[in-house]
C-alpha cells in the first residue's frame, strides 16, 4: 500500500481521505507549511494528513476512512471497519459474526443513505431498506465517507446520515501508471479446533494509467476471496415467561421472576466467497471532465446449521372460570380421586374451573387449553409437564450481488459549473434452495419425554438443561429420535434503480459566494419471490421409518462446543441430506407445493422520487454559511397477494407524499487551526416497501411447515420526520494531529417500528407470532462525540514512534411507542447504544508499523417484543492487532489477528437483564498474513 500513497498531493486526497479515530498516526510530526495545497507528502504521513485536511475543509460534519487505513485493520467487511468511526456501530450477522449493517448515531440503515460513488445502491434486504454490507471487502476502495449533517444538495431521506464508498480512479495517483497486488492467507481458530475447513485467503490486482498528457485515464481492479468459519451458539427457544400465568402478549409482566422454555444449540459451518471489482474511465479537459464508472460485488455463502432443541412443550391445562381469580389451589393439591377413563378427579367446582365435558365434575378430561402454567388463569404458576428434544439440520446457502454503473461529468462555462449524472444500480439476494430435516422426541416412547425441564447455570450465557436420569440418554443416543419432517424452499429479492441528476452552480464572488440549484429523479423496482417447494417425509425411500441413528445421515459426532460448555452430539452430512430429500421428492411426485402457496408470499413494488433544491453559500470573513431547502415527492406502488377465501388474489396499494426540508449550516474558521461548526437541518425516512402493502407474509417452520409467524403490512404508515441540530469544535495543532468535540440532537416524529403479539394456535408450540409495523409518537436521540489523534513526538528514540488514536461517543435516546400496554413508559430507540468508544496504540518506526486497537459498543434494544420485555443486545468488545513490515518501498508483509481475546460477537437477552439469555454466539479468532506489492 505504501507506493499507493507515496508522493500523492494533499489537494488530490483532501476529498478522498479520512477520519478522526480510524486513522493511523504518522511516524513523526510533519513540518507545517504556509500553503498546504502545494505540499507533496511522502510515506505514512499522507493518510493522516490528508484525512485531517479533508475533515477540516469539509462543509458538513464528515468522517472518512482512507484506503490506507482500511488496509491496516483486520476486519472482514466494510461494516466492521465503519464500527471504528465515532458515532457508528455495527449490527452483526448472527450466523457468521461478521458485521452486516451499520447504524449512524443510533439510527439503523433504514434511516440512512448508502451509496457507491454517489449512486444510491440497490436494496436487496427483503424486509427493510437496509443495505447489507457484508458483501464488500474492506480493501480496494479509495475511501469510505460518512456525512452526519446534510445540506440541501444531498438526498433528504437520511435522518442519520450518508455512507459513500468511493472507488479509485487513475487521477488519484501521482504516478501515471500504477500496478498493485495483494495476497493474504490465514485461518479461523474455531473451525480449526473443531476439525472443520478453517482456511482464509484473498487476492486482489489493480492497474491504472493516465495518458495523452494526463487528459485520459483508466483504472481497473479485481478481487477474489474465500473464508471458512465455524460459529457456535446457544439461543433460547421460546420467550422467557413470568412465574405467574400471563393473559396475553400485550400484558405488562414482572421481569423479576422469569422462566426459560428451552434452548437451541447451533453448530454452523460455512464457506464464504467474495469476488468483484471496479473500473473507471476518465477524461480531464480544460473545462470539462467526463467519467464512466462501474462496480460489481458478489457474495456467496454455502453453509449448514445443525441445531439441537431442548424445550418444554405446552400441555393441556384446566381453565379458570374467572381468569383473574388468584385464590385457587394448585391442581396437584386438589386431587380427590381418579377415574380410569377421565384421569384425575379434582375438588374444584364448575364455578371455579371450566367443566369442558359438561359432566358436572372437574377431571383431566376438562383440560381444554395448552399452557406452561399449572392453571389457565391467575392462580396458575410455572409448571411444565412435557419436554421435547430434537436434532435438526438445514442448509444456509445464499448469494447476493450489487452493481452500479454511472456516466456523467462536470462542465465549466465562465462562472457557471454544471454537474450531470445518469446511473443504474442493480442487486439481488437469494436462497437458491434451503434443505431441512428434523428428528424429534415428540414421538418418543412414553415416558421418555413425560417431564418438564428446568435449567441450571454457572454463567447466564450458558443455561444447561436439568433432565431426569431416565431422559438424559436422549442427548447421546440418536436411535431414540424418530423422523419428524423435511422440507425444501427458496426465495429471491431483486431491486433495480435508475437515477438522473443535474446540478448548476453559479459563482458570484461577493458576500453570496455562489448559488446552486439541482434536480434528481430516481425510480426503484423491487420484486420478491418465495417458493415453498416441498414438505413431507421419506416415504418411498430407504429412509422411511428409520430413526436418526439408522438414517445414514450422520457425518460425525462433536463432543463439545462453546469452549467445552456443552456436549453436542451428531452432526449431519450436507450431501446425504440433500440426496435424501431429492430422492423423497422424486418418490412422491405429487407432493410438491402448488397453487396459492406458491404465490401468497410473492410481492413487487415500484417507487419514484422527484427532488429539487436551491441553496446559497454566504461568506463573511471567516464565516461560511450554506442555507437552502430541498423538496422531495415520493410515489410508492405495491402489489401483493391478498388472502380472502375464494376471492384470494393479487391486490395493490398506492401512496404518495411531498416533504420540504430546509437547512442551514455554518462554519467559522478564525485561523488555520480551529473550526467551529453549527447546523440545523431536517430529514425524513420513508416506510419500508413491504410495510405499505395490505398483504401479509407467512413464515413457516423449516422442518414441519407449520405457520409460526405472520407479518402484516400497514398502508396507513406515515414517513418518519426529524429535526436535527449539530455543533462541533475542531482543533488542529499541526498537520498530523487533531482534537474534536461534537454534540448533536435529533427529534424524530412518526418513527416506524414493528411489534409482535402472540396468539394461541393449534401448532406444536401452541402460538403464532403476528407482527405489524406501526408509527410511534416521538423519539429523541442526543449525544456527544470526542476524538483525538496524537503522536508522542519528543520522546527519546525509539519511543518517539508511538502514537494514540481514540474516540468516545456518549448518547441518550428515549422513544414513546404510543402503545397503551407500555403505560406511557419511554424506551430506548431501537438499535441505539448509549456508549461507544475506540482506542488504539500505534507504533511506526524503522519500517515497522503496529496497531493494537480496542473497540467497544454498549448494549441496545434490537427489537420490541411482546409483554414490553424487549430484546436487548448486550455490550460487545473486540481487541485486534495489526502489524506491517516494509521491506522496501514496493513490498510489505502484514500480520493481523482479529478478536484477539476470543470474545463473543453476539450476546442478546430478553429484557435488560443478563440472566435472561436470548442468544450467545462465538466466532473464534482470525489470523491473517498479507503480502502487499506495488509497482
Amino acid at each position: 500500500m505504501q507506493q499507493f500513497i507515496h508522493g500523492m498531493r494533499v489537494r488530490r486526497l483532501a476529498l478522498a481521505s479520512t477520519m478522526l479515530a480510524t486513522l493511523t498516526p504518522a511516524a513523526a510530526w510533519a513540518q507545517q507549511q504556509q500553503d498546504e495545497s502545494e505540499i507533496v507528502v511522502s510515506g505514512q504521513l499522507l493518510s493522516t494528513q490528508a484525512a485531517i485536511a479533508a475533515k477540516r475543509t469539509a462543509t458538513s460534519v464528515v468522517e472518512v476512512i482512507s484506503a490506507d487505513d482500511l488496509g491496516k485493520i483486520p476486519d472482514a467487511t466494510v461494516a466492521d471497519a465503519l464500527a471504528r468511526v465515532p458515532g457508528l456501530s455495527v449490527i452483526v450477522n448472527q450466523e457468521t459474526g461478521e458485521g452486516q449493517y451499520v447504524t449512524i448515531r443510533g439510527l439503523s440503515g433504514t434511516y440512512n443513505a448508502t451509496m457507491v460513488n454517489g449512486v444510491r445502491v440497490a436494496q436487496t434486504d427483503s424486509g427493510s431498506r437496509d443495505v447489507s454490507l457484508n458483501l464488500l471487502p474492506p480493501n480496494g476502495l479509495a475511501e469510505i465517507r460518512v456525512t452526519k449533517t446534510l445540506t440541501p444538495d444531498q438526498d433528504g431521506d437520511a435522518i442519520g446520515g450518508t455512507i459513500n464508498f468511493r472507488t479509485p480512479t487513475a487521477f488519484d495517483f501521482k504516478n501515471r501508471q500504477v500496478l498493485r497486488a495483494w495476497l493474504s492467507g490465514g485461518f479461523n481458530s474455531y473451525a480449526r479446533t473443531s476439525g472443520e475447513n478453517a482456511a482464509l485467503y484473498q487476492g486482489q490486482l489493480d492497474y491504472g494509467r493516465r495518458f495523452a498528457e494526463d487528459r485520459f485515464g483508466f483504472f481497473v481492479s479485481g478481487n477474489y476471496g474465500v473464508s471458512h468459519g465455524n460459529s457456535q451458539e446457544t439461543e433460547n427457544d421460546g420467550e422467557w415467561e413470568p412465574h405467574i400465568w400471563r393473559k396475553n402478549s400485550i400484558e405488562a409482566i414482572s421481569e423479576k421472576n422469569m422462566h426459560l422454555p428451552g434452548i437451541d444449540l447451533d453448530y454452523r459451518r460455512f464457506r464464504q466467497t467474495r469476488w468483484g471489482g471496479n473500473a473507471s474511465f476518465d477524461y480531464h479537459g480544460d473545462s470539462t471532465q467526463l467519467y464512466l464508472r462501474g462496480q460489481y460485488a458478489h457474495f456467496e455463502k454455502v453453509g449448514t446449521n445443525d441445531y439441537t432443541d431442548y424445550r418444554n412443550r405446552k400441555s393441556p391445562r384446566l381453565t379458570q372460570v374467572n381468569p383473574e381469580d388468584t385464590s385457587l389451589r394448585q391442581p396437584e393439591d386438589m386431587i380427590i380421586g381418579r377415574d380410569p377413563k377421565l384421569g384425575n378427579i379434582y375438588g374444584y367446582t364448575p364455578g371455579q374451573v371450566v367443566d369442558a365435558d359438561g359432566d358436572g365434575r372437574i377431571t383431566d378430561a376438562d383440560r381444554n387449553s395448552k399452557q406452561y402454567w399449572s392453571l389457565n388463569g391467575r392462580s396458575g404458576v410455572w409448571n411444565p409437564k412435557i419436554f421435547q428434544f430434537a436434532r435438526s439440520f438445514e442448509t444456509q446457502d445464499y448469494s447476493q450481488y450489487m452493481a452500479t454503473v454511472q456516466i456523467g461529468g462536470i462542465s465549466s462555462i465562465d462562472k457557471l459549473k454544471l454537474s450531470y449524472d445518469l446511473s443504474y444500480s442493480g442487486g439481488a439476494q437469494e436462497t437458491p434452495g434451503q434443505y431441512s430435516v428434523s428428528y424429534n422426541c415428540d414421538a418418543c416412547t412414553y415416558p421418555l419425554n413425560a417431564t418438564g425441564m428446568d435449567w441450571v447455570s454457572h454463567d447466564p450465557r450458558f443455561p444447561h438443561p436439568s433432565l431426569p436420569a431416565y431422559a438424559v440418554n436422549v442427548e447421546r443416543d440418536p436411535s431414540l429420535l424418530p423422523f419428524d419432517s423435511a422440507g425444501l424452499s427458496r426465495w429471491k429479492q431483486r431491486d433495480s434503480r435508475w437515477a438522473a441528476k443535474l446540478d448548476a452552480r453559479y459563482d458570484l464572488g461577493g458576500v453570496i459566494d455562489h448559488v446552486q440549484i439541482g434536480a434528481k429523479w430516481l425510480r426503484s423496482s423491487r420484486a420478491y419471490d418465495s417458493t415453498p417447494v416441498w414438505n413431507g417425509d421419506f416415504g418411498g425411500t430407504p429412509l422411511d421409518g428409520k430413526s436418526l441413528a439408522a438414517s445414514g445421515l450422520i457425518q460425525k459426532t462433536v463432543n463439545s462446543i462453546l469452549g467445552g460448555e456443552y456436549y453436542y452430539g451428531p452432526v449431519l452430512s450436507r450431501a446425504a441430506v440433500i440426496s435424501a430429500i431429492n430422492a423423497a421428492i422424486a418418490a412422491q411426485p405429487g407432493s410438491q407445493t402448488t397453487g396459492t402457496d406458491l404465490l401468497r408470499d410473492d410481492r413487487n413494488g415500484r417507487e419514484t422520487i422527484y427532488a429539487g433544491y436551491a441553496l446559497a453559500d454566504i461568506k463573511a470573513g471567516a464565516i461560511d454559511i450554506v442555507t437552502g431547502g430541498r423538496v422531495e415527492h415520493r410515489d410508492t406502488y405495491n402489489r401483493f397477494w391478498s388472502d380472502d377465501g375464494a376471492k384470494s388474489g393479487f391486490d395493490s396499494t398506492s401512496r404518495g407524499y411531498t416533504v420540504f426540508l430546509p437547512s442551514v449550516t455554518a462554519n467559522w474558521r478564525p485561523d488555520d487551526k480551529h473550526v467551529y461548526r453549527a447546523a440545523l437541518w431536517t430529514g425524513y425516512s420513508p416506510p419500508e416497501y413491504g410495510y405499505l402493502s395490505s398483504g401479509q407474509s407467512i413464515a413457516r417452520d423449516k422442518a414441519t411447515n407449520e405457520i409460526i409467524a405472520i407479518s402484516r403490512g400497514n398502508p396507513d404508515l406515515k414517513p418518519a420526520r426529524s429535526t436535527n441540530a449539530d455543533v462541533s469544535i475542531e482543533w488542529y495543532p499541526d498537520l498530523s494531529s487533531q482534537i474534536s468535540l461534537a454534540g448533536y440532537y435529533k427529534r424524530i416524529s412518526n418513527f416506524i417500528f414493528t411489534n409482535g403479539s402472540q396468539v394461541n394456535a393449534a401448532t406444536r408450540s401452541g402460538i403464532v407470532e403476528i407482527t405489524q409495523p406501526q408509527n410511534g409518537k416521538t423519539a429523541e436521540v442526543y449525544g456527544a462525540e470526542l476524538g483525538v489523534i496524537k503522536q508522542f513526538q519528543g520522546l527519546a528514540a525509539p519511543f518517539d514512534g508511538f502514537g494514540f488514536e481514540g474516540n468516545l461517543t456518549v448518547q441518550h435516546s428515549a422513544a414513546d411507542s404510543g402503545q397503551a400496554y407500555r403505560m406511557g413508559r419511554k424506551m430506548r430507540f431501537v438499535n441505539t447504544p448509549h456508549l461507544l468508544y475506540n482506542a488504539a496504540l500505534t507504533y511506526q518506526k524503522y519500517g515497522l508499523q503496529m496497531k493494537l486497537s480496542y473497540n467497544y459498543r454498549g448494549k441496545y434494544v434490537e427489537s420490541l417484543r411482546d409483554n414490553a420485555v424487549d430484546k436487548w443486545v448486550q455490550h460487545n468488545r473486540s481487541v485486534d492487532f495489526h502489524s506491517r513490515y516494509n521491506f522496501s518501498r514496493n513490498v510489505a508483509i502484514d500480520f493481523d489477528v482479529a478478536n484477539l481475546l476470543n470474545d463473543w460477537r453476539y450476546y442478546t437477552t430478553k429484557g435488560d437483564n443478563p440472566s435472561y439469555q436470548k442468544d450467545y454466539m462465538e466466532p473464534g479468532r482470525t489470523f491473517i498474513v498479507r503480502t502487499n506489492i506495488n509497482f
Side-chain angles (χ1 to χ4, degrees):
M1 254 318 192
Q2 188 169 352
Q3 182 65 20
F4 166 53
I5 62 173
H6 178 73
M8 296 173 67
R9 296 182 182 274
V10 169
R11 66 185 181 211
R12 291 229 186 255
L13 282 185
L15 297 175
S17 305
T18 199
M19 170 55 204
L20 182 63
T22 45
L23 303 174
T24 304
W29 295 108
Q31 182 179 358
Q32 294 188 23
Q33 306 288 333
Q34 293 295 319
D35 184 358
E36 294 178 19
S37 65
E38 295 303 317
I39 303 174
V40 177
V41 183
S42 298
Q44 301 303 316
L45 287 173
L46 178 64
S47 178
T48 300
Q49 292 183 3
I52 290 174
K55 185 176 180 69
R56 183 174 58 184
T57 58
T59 299
S60 303
V61 177
V62 300
E63 316 288 4
V64 183
I65 307 178
S66 70
D68 189 57
D69 291 311
L70 286 167
K72 293 186 176 66
I73 46 181
D75 294 321
T77 71
V78 294
D80 289 317
L82 284 165
R84 303 175 189 273
V85 173
L88 273 66
S89 59
V90 65
I91 298 174
V92 305
N93 182 295
Q94 186 176 345
E95 297 172 1
T96 66
E98 293 182 347
Q100 185 167 8
Y101 303 109
V102 170
T103 72
I104 302 177
R105 290 174 169 174
L107 299 178
S108 56
T110 191
Y111 293 100
N112 305 316
T114 303
M115 298 171 285
V116 172
N117 296 321
V119 177
R120 292 292 292 269
V121 299
Q123 296 167 334
T124 58
D125 192 296
S126 62
S128 76
R129 293 180 183 272
D130 219 333
V131 175
S132 177
L133 298 178
N134 62 347
L135 79 166
L136 293 173
N139 56 314
L141 297 168
E143 69 167 18
I144 308 174
R145 177 175 292 242
V146 180
T147 304
K148 298 177 181 177
T149 61
L150 303 185
T151 50
D153 55 326
Q154 296 173 292
D155 291 348
D157 57 337
I159 291 175
T162 67
I163 303 173
N164 185 41
F165 301 93
R166 190 175 76 80
T167 60
T169 75
F171 290 90
D172 284 325
F173 305 90
K174 178 185 178 182
N175 295 333
R176 287 187 174 182
Q177 181 170 279
V178 60
L179 175 63
R180 309 182 300 180
W182 291 268
L183 184 64
S184 65
F187 65 90
N188 173 266
S189 64
Y190 256 22
R192 192 173 195 177
T193 56
S194 299
E196 307 291 353
N197 193 331
L200 314 170
Y201 51 89
Q202 183 179 8
Q204 180 170 321
L205 184 65
D206 298 349
Y207 180 74
R209 180 179 176 85
R210 297 194 305 274
F211 52 94
E213 299 182 341
D214 285 352
R215 287 184 174 271
F216 293 92
F218 71 90
F219 180 89
V220 293
S221 175
N223 64 81
Y224 180 86
V226 173
S227 63
H228 294 87
N230 170 226
S231 67
Q232 300 170 15
E233 178 179 6
T234 175
E235 58 180 319
N236 72 7
D237 189 353
E239 301 287 3
W240 286 79
E241 299 284 5
H243 183 70
I244 304 298
W245 173 87
R246 64 174 172 88
K247 185 177 183 179
N248 54 43
S249 61
I250 62 173
E251 177 184 61
I253 61 175
S254 171
E255 298 179 43
K256 295 181 180 179
N257 188 356
M258 297 178 68
H259 298 269
L260 176 61
I263 65 167
D264 288 337
L265 299 178
D266 296 81
Y267 184 85
R268 300 187 181 98
R269 298 168 285 178
F270 52 86
R271 178 184 191 269
Q272 299 181 120
T273 304
R274 295 180 175 92
W275 59 273
N278 56 76
S280 176
F281 302 90
D282 296 82
Y283 165 76
H284 283 196
D286 295 331
S287 60
T288 296
Q289 296 182 9
L290 301 175
Y291 57 83
L292 172 64
R293 294 172 187 151
Q295 165 273 328
Y296 182 86
H298 184 95
F299 172 86
E300 181 177 287
K301 175 188 168 189
V302 177
T304 62
N305 183 25
D306 287 86
Y307 55 100
T308 61
D309 182 6
Y310 303 78
R311 178 169 179 164
N312 289 305
R313 286 291 194 205
K314 292 185 175 182
S315 56
R317 305 296 171 131
L318 300 174
T319 300
Q320 297 178 203
V321 172
N322 176 12
E324 303 300 321
D325 187 355
T326 61
S327 66
L328 299 185
R329 296 171 62 191
Q330 297 307 307
E332 59 267 25
D333 298 327
M334 294 295 290
I335 298 173
I336 60 174
R338 182 166 182 82
D339 184 279
K341 292 184 178 180
L342 302 179
N344 291 325
I345 303 171
Y346 299 92
Y348 300 117
T349 69
Q352 294 174 311
V353 171
V354 174
D355 182 12
D357 62 6
D359 65 355
R361 297 185 300 170
I362 305 302
T363 68
D364 283 339
D366 296 314
R367 296 185 178 191
N368 64 346
S369 176
K370 287 188 175 183
Q371 292 290 357
Y372 294 120
W373 295 273
S374 57
L375 287 168
N376 187 23
R378 299 284 183 209
S379 294
V381 297
W382 186 258
N383 186 27
K385 293 292 187 181
I386 299 175
F387 88 91
Q388 72 133 16
F389 179 84
R391 291 197 182 276
S392 301
F393 170 96
E394 66 181 15
T395 59
Q396 293 187 324
D397 301 354
Y398 81 92
S399 63
Q400 181 181 1
Y401 79 86
M402 181 174 69
T404 58
V405 179
Q406 63 181 145
I407 184 171
I410 301 173
S411 297
S412 297
I413 307 172
D414 196 16
K415 296 182 178 182
L416 178 65
K417 183 168 73 173
L418 299 176
S419 302
Y420 35 89
D421 188 279
L422 176 66
S423 65
Y424 169 82
S425 178
Q429 185 175 177
E430 68 175 314
T431 294
Q434 187 170 54
Y435 293 82
S436 59
V437 64
S438 177
Y439 288 80
N440 195 325
C441 79
D442 272 352
C444 292
T445 303
Y446 182 87
L448 186 62
N449 61 347
T451 182
M453 280 191 297
D454 206 350
W455 307 87
V456 294
S457 177
H458 65 92
D459 185 325
R461 297 173 298 169
F462 307 115
H464 287 264
S466 180
L467 293 171
Y470 66 83
V472 74
N473 282 341
V474 75
E475 293 181 302
R476 298 176 179 266
D477 187 355
S479 68
L480 298 176
L481 294 179
F483 172 82
D484 182 39
S485 57
L488 170 62
S489 63
R490 63 174 62 100
W491 61 265
K492 184 174 184 177
Q493 166 78 33
R494 300 181 299 276
D495 185 16
S496 297
R497 294 175 164 238
W498 288 94
K501 65 178 182 177
L502 173 66
D503 299 280
R505 167 176 166 161
Y506 190 80
D507 293 323
L508 299 174
V511 174
I512 301 178
D513 180 75
H514 68 268
V515 294
Q516 186 170 316
I517 61 173
K520 181 177 180 178
W521 170 86
L522 184 149
R523 170 163 289 180
S524 170
S525 300
R526 293 165 59 108
Y528 176 77
D529 177 75
S530 176
T531 305
V533 179
W534 175 83
N535 283 278
D537 56 34
F538 289 139
T541 74
L543 274 64
D544 187 21
K546 290 187 176 180
S547 69
L548 176 59
S551 67
L553 301 180
I554 296 175
Q555 180 181 5
K556 68 176 184 176
T557 297
V558 175
N559 289 320
S560 68
I561 64 170
L562 292 169
E565 283 291 337
Y566 296 95
Y567 169 81
Y568 191 79
V571 297
L572 305 191
S573 162
R574 172 190 176 93
V577 170
I578 292 175
S579 176
I581 291 177
N582 287 338
I585 295 174
Q588 306 166 30
S591 64
Q592 296 197 45
T593 306
T594 59
T596 58
D597 284 339
L598 295 175
L599 301 173
R600 66 174 70 251
D601 288 334
D602 296 351
R603 55 185 180 272
N604 59 71
R606 183 179 66 248
E607 190 167 47
T608 307
I609 304 168
Y610 308 89
Y613 73 90
L615 64 81
D617 189 342
I618 302 170
K619 295 185 183 295
I623 297 176
D624 183 6
I625 300 174
V626 176
T627 184
R630 185 179 185 91
V631 176
E632 291 197 9
H633 177 81
R634 187 177 293 255
D635 288 321
T636 305
Y637 167 83
N638 277 283
R639 184 173 179 266
F640 51 88
W641 182 265
S642 179
D643 279 317
D644 189 18
K647 298 181 181 179
S648 295
F650 282 99
D651 203 349
S652 64
T653 58
S654 298
R655 178 82 184 276
Y657 54 87
T658 302
V659 295
F660 174 61
L661 306 169
S663 70
V664 57
T665 299
N667 294 283
W668 178 37
R669 296 179 172 87
D671 52 48
D672 62 356
K673 294 181 181 296
H674 298 86
V675 180
Y676 301 86
R677 306 181 191 273
L680 184 64
W681 56 284
T682 52
Y684 78 105
S685 178
E688 312 288 8
Y689 289 95
Y691 288 178
L692 292 174
S693 74
S694 294
Q696 64 182 23
S697 295
I698 297 173
R700 298 177 181 272
D701 187 287
K702 297 180 180 68
T704 67
N705 201 38
E706 283 185 342
I707 295 176
I708 56 176
I710 298 174
S711 177
R712 292 171 176 163
N714 183 356
D716 297 323
L717 285 175
K718 302 174 183 178
R721 298 291 301 269
S722 178
T723 300
N724 314 277
D726 292 78
V727 295
S728 65
I729 303 171
E730 300 166 9
W731 178 38
Y732 301 90
D734 51 60
L735 295 178
S736 300
S737 61
Q738 170 189 304
I739 300 175
S740 63
L741 177 65
Y744 54 91
Y745 172 83
K746 297 179 181 293
R747 182 175 177 82
I748 306 169
S749 60
N750 297 324
F751 69 91
I752 300 166
F753 69 95
T754 58
N755 188 67
S757 61
Q758 292 183 351
V759 298
N760 292 330
T763 65
R764 192 165 64 176
S765 60
I767 58 171
V768 169
E769 181 87 7
I770 297 178
T771 59
Q772 186 175 39
Q774 304 172 44
N775 279 118
K777 288 186 176 180
T778 59
E780 292 181 320
V781 180
Y782 56 87
E785 297 169 350
L786 172 67
V788 178
I789 300 176
K790 178 64 176 176
Q791 279 294 120
F792 298 144
Q793 187 70 11
L795 296 179
F799 301 104
D800 55 345
F802 283 100
F804 173 79
E805 308 166 5
N807 61 71
L808 169 68
T809 301
V810 180
Q811 60 187 8
H812 175 81
S813 67
D816 183 356
S817 68
Q819 296 169 303
Y821 74 91
R822 290 182 183 264
M823 299 179 293
R825 293 180 300 170
K826 290 193 175 181
M827 59 192 185
R828 285 199 186 189
F829 201 56
V830 173
N831 291 327
T832 307
H834 283 185
L835 179 63
L836 302 161
Y837 59 86
N838 292 274
L841 182 65
T842 66
Y843 185 82
Q844 299 181 55
K845 201 172 179 68
Y846 310 124
L848 176 66
Q849 303 173 48
M850 291 187 292
K851 184 174 185 177
L852 183 66
S853 59
Y854 181 93
N855 170 264
Y856 178 90
R857 185 261 305 141
K859 61 187 177 182
Y860 62 88
V861 174
E862 182 183 272
S863 60
L864 304 187
R865 294 298 178 97
D866 60 319
N867 301 109
V869 185
D870 301 321
K871 182 180 179 182
W872 283 70
V873 178
Q874 295 298 313
H875 76 273
N876 187 73
R877 65 183 181 182
S878 180
V879 178
D880 306 294
F881 175 74
H882 164 77
S883 64
R884 170 177 294 180
Y885 185 75
N886 297 286
F887 289 92
S888 69
R889 297 175 58 184
N890 303 102
V891 180
I893 298 291
D894 295 359
F895 173 68
D896 297 344
V897 184
N899 194 18
L900 191 63
L901 299 183
N902 201 29
D903 279 311
W904 68 74
R905 188 60 169 155
Y906 186 69
Y907 177 22
T908 69
T909 58
K910 185 67 188 295
D912 183 20
N913 187 333
S915 297
Y916 299 151
Q917 181 256 37
K918 185 80 176 67
D919 308 274
Y920 178 82
M921 189 273 282
E922 293 181 356
R925 299 182 183 92
T926 300
F927 299 85
I928 299 173
V929 176
R930 182 186 302 109
T931 300
N932 305 273
I933 303 173
N934 304 273
F935 299 100

